[in-house]
Amino acid sequence: MNCKLTFKERAEIGMKILAKQKGVTLEQARAQAKWLSENSTSKVKKKRI
C-alpha cells in the first residue's frame, strides 16, 4: 500500500469504494444494529452524551 497519499487522494479512493457498495434500507440498518448489540462481547456499554 502506498503510504504517501494525501488526504484528498484517500478521500477520493474511499468515495469510489463506497459508490460500488449497495445501499442499505432503514430496516436493514436497524437489524444490523440490533444484531451488533446482542452479540457484543463488551460488558461496559458506552453512553452517548
Side-chain angles (χ1 to χ4, degrees):
M1 181 177 170
N2 185 3
C3 294
K4 295 185 179 183
L5 293 174
T6 64
F7 181 79
K8 186 176 181 180
E9 290 170 333
R10 288 178 189 258
E12 289 172 357
I13 292 170
M15 292 301 289
K16 287 178 185 177
I17 292 170
L18 286 174
K20 292 179 183 177
Q21 293 180 356
K22 292 183 179 181
V24 177
T25 64
L26 182 59
E27 292 81 20
Q28 290 171 327
R30 285 183 176 156
Q32 184 182 29
K34 183 179 177 185
W35 183 88
L36 286 171
S37 67
E38 290 172 352
N39 294 303
S40 175
T41 59
S42 175
K43 298 290 181 189
V44 179
K45 302 293 181 186
K46 293 181 180 178
K47 292 185 178 181
R48 296 180 77 184
I49 296 175

